[in-house]
Amino acid sequence: PPYKGTTKIERRVEANLNLVEDFVSMGVPRKQIIITGHSCGGWTTLMLTSQYMDKVGGGIALNAACYWTLSKQFKVAEIGEEAALEKFAKKYPGLKALRDTQINIIKKSKSLPILVFTHPKDPYEGLLFDWIEKIPEVKRIIISEGFEIDGVKCKIGSFSLKEKGWPGGHDIDQAECFQYYNPVIKEYIASRIK
């Protein structure tokens, strides 16, 4: 196995649960605690909420990914999800097993009322997230097919997400164009803290 003892994700989940308990001890109602994370933080959000939804008010996962640039490195768009994951398993069997174990933990959730944002051009898990839609109450939002949202070009500062070297759709949630989703996020949070 790739890890002895607890994994980094398990330690992150535990640290976040401790933080939640700190907030609760200060008088913050659990339903007002929304766990949110991007990339590996998004994966942590999925792991935490799938196991401890009773401890928090909700969760928002933004381009969740902890296993490298799977979509890009293993050419999911060209060869398909199954073949790409087989290549990943051959090259990194321990990590493939760990990823599968974590996905199975997330999938066991009977009810997971969270928001999950994904982007098909995310080189990490962008084309590997259809499984999330099988979990009851998950609201998956596919951000866009390109680098524009509702006619607004996606930039972070003065840099276009299309520029060479930028990690594609992985950081689109940090771009100005992502503000288009602010009403959806606000509505979700309002629905969870009632």
Side-chain angles (χ1 to χ4, degrees):
Y3 290 94
K4 291 184 180 183
T6 58
T7 66
K8 182 187 271 188
I9 293 294
E10 291 169 317
R11 292 191 300 272
R12 286 179 177 193
V13 166
E14 185 177 330
N16 277 278
L17 286 172
N18 290 336
L19 188 58
V20 166
E21 294 308 318
D22 288 347
F23 281 118
V24 169
S25 72
M26 291 185 274
V28 177
R30 287 186 191 282
K31 67 181 180 179
Q32 291 184 10
I33 300 172
I34 309 295
I35 301 296
T36 304
H38 168 262
S39 194
C40 210
W43 199 269
T44 302
T45 297
L46 294 172
M47 290 293 292
L48 187 149
T49 55
S50 66
Q51 298 172 88
Y52 304 102
M53 196 66 203
D54 59 322
K55 305 270 185 199
V56 297
I60 303 170
L62 304 153
N63 291 325
C66 263
Y67 295 97
W68 303 315
T69 54
L70 288 183
S71 284
K72 181 178 179 182
Q73 183 178 352
F74 294 96
K75 303 181 183 336
V76 175
E78 292 88 15
I79 66 173
E81 182 175 339
E82 190 175 327
L85 289 174
E86 283 176 18
K87 285 176 68 175
F88 177 53
K90 283 181 186 170
K91 189 164 185 177
Y92 303 106
L95 287 178
K96 171 68 165 71
L98 180 59
R99 180 181 179 273
D100 288 347
T101 297
Q102 291 174 347
I103 287 172
N104 287 331
I105 289 169
I106 296 164
K107 285 171 142 180
K108 284 182 185 174
S109 181
K110 304 268 188 265
S111 170
L112 194 55
I114 64 171
L115 290 180
V116 177
F117 288 90
T118 64
H119 192 285
K121 292 196 186 301
D122 179 352
Y124 294 85
E125 295 267 352
L127 295 172
L128 298 170
F129 243 93
D130 290 345
W131 60 268
I132 199 77
E133 293 182 14
K134 294 179 179 143
I135 302 170
E137 294 191 67
V138 166
K139 181 174 182 182
R140 179 186 184 195
I141 298 172
I142 299 172
I143 299 168
S144 73
E145 292 296 322
F147 298 105
E148 241 182 58
I149 297 175
D150 198 35
V152 176
K153 289 187 189 315
C154 296
K155 296 179 180 181
I156 296 178
S158 61
F159 297 99
S160 165
L161 290 183
K162 286 180 104 173
E163 289 184 21
K164 188 176 180 183
W166 202 266
H170 191 64
D171 290 333
I172 199 166
D173 58 300
Q174 298 167 42
E176 295 157 15
C177 62
F178 191 77
Q179 291 178 20
Y180 172 81
Y181 292 105
N182 286 355
V184 173
I185 294 168
K186 287 169 61 177
E187 181 181 312
Y188 169 76
I189 292 170
S191 76
R192 299 301 303 161
I193 64 173
K194 288 182 184 177

